[in-house]
Amino acid sequence: MFNATNAEDAPQPPKVLTTPLEIAANLRALLQSHDPLIITFHERSQRFQTYLVELDRDSNVLAFDEMIPRDGEKFLAAGEPFKVEGFHDGVRIAWEVNDTLTIDENEGGRVYHGPLPKEVVYHQRRNAFRAALKLAHLVDVQLAGEKLKGEFTGKLLDISATGCKLRFEGDITERLQLGQVYDRFVANLPFGKMTAPVELRYLHYEERIDTTFAGTRFHNMSGLVQRQVERFVFDLQREARRFDKDDF
């Protein structure tokens, strides 16, 4: 049965932005929020992470931070075209780069300068509610599988019907690979363990607090796991509403 809620939650078709004002506004959102960007070179399967670190609409210049892992720089230096993809508040923002970028030194690191894109794809995905956990009630998680040596133990920070954000002590970025599917993610939910494969979509080490943050997307979830996730998200929503009502 059709209703307004289903209409709002349905995936929206992608839009192609072509005006400089629209393009600059959306790229600036990625820059100011320090949203991670994924770079993929045409006909290469490896994925690289970077960030926007500079945006000047007047001079039509933007700059990317040094790629992680850095060996992607050789493809960029060779002038290979690549795709950039980022997410901001549930919106996928992506564009193609066919220009050869300049590689410059910046405070001991590297930055890559090039022109602003002439077209940007703007795609509002399904509006999945993302529930944050209170710091006092963070859920223990484990990440393991055939693609990993050993097991990482961390905390679940938030969760939605499509994925979750995790926190791990120390710097584990060198031992994980963006875009990789890890077949054994376990979350110790209040009503039992949930086990599912996850795809790593975001990875960032915060040196100041010696903590690695990871964003994952659930991969080929079973019906049982989907129901567990929906139940947990619903419980968190209900708790959040009760908390807001008590505050009021």
Side-chain angles (χ1 to χ4, degrees):
M1 179 177 176
F2 178 84
N3 59 47
T5 302
N6 289 339
E8 290 172 2
D9 286 348
Q12 302 296 313
K15 301 175 184 176
V16 178
L17 309 180
T18 56
T19 68
L21 181 63
E22 285 182 309
I23 290 171
N26 281 278
L27 297 190
R28 194 169 300 283
L30 294 172
L31 169 70
Q32 293 175 341
S33 298
H34 201 58
D35 292 317
L37 304 176
I38 302 299
I39 285 180
T40 49
F41 290 90
H42 296 185
E43 299 180 5
R44 297 188 186 275
S45 59
Q46 192 174 4
R47 299 151 69 94
F48 304 90
Q49 180 172 297
T50 187
Y51 298 88
L52 275 179
V53 292
E54 186 182 324
L55 177 64
D56 189 331
R57 187 182 157 207
D58 293 333
S59 58
N60 193 43
V61 170
L62 57 73
F64 298 102
D65 198 10
E66 184 174 301
M67 271 189 278
I68 305 171
R70 186 169 158 178
D71 53 349
E73 194 174 286
K74 62 188 176 189
F75 307 132
L76 183 145
E80 291 192 22
F82 59 90
K83 182 177 74 174
V84 185
E85 179 185 46
F87 289 86
H88 181 75
D89 290 342
V91 176
R92 176 178 176 267
I93 299 171
W95 67 97
E96 300 277 343
V97 177
N98 296 301
D99 304 281
T100 300
L101 306 189
T102 60
I103 302 174
D104 303 298
E105 296 287 339
N106 179 39
E107 298 178 357
R110 315 271 263 185
V111 293
Y112 316 122
H113 285 97
L116 269 65
K118 293 182 172 60
E119 288 187 351
V120 165
V121 175
Y122 177 99
H123 191 188
Q124 174 71 57
R125 298 294 186 88
R126 178 182 172 86
N127 187 24
F129 177 84
R130 182 169 290 276
L133 281 71
K134 296 179 183 178
L135 287 177
H137 301 101
L138 296 184
V139 166
D140 291 328
V141 298
Q142 295 86 41
L143 188 63
E146 292 182 3
K147 305 291 185 180
L148 277 178
K149 293 180 180 178
E151 177 180 278
F152 297 114
T153 300
K155 297 288 186 179
L156 177 69
L157 297 181
D158 68 30
I159 187 169
S160 75
T162 56
C164 55
K165 186 174 181 180
L166 314 173
R167 184 188 78 190
F168 300 94
E169 291 185 5
D171 184 0
I172 63 171
T173 54
E174 294 296 322
R175 301 166 68 185
L176 297 174
Q177 175 64 51
L178 283 170
Q180 185 64 259
V181 174
Y182 297 106
D183 53 19
R184 191 166 180 273
F185 167 73
V186 179
N188 299 302
L189 303 183
F191 46 81
K193 286 189 176 183
M194 181 202 84
T195 304
V198 292
E199 178 189 357
L200 186 64
R201 300 286 296 179
Y202 166 77
L203 191 62
H204 175 65
Y205 172 63
E206 190 65 51
E207 186 176 3
R208 181 174 52 86
I209 55 175
D210 191 28
T211 299
T212 298
F213 296 95
T216 66
R217 184 186 299 270
F218 295 123
H219 184 79
N220 292 341
M221 276 195 300
S222 68
L224 171 62
V225 171
Q226 190 169 359
R227 288 190 294 274
Q228 286 179 306
V229 171
E230 289 172 353
R231 176 183 171 186
F232 189 47
V233 171
F234 176 78
D235 288 347
L236 292 172
Q237 282 180 293
R238 185 174 56 187
E239 178 67 17
R241 285 196 297 267
R242 186 185 66 78
F243 185 76
D244 290 344
K245 184 178 178 182
D246 289 346
D247 273 359
F248 179 77

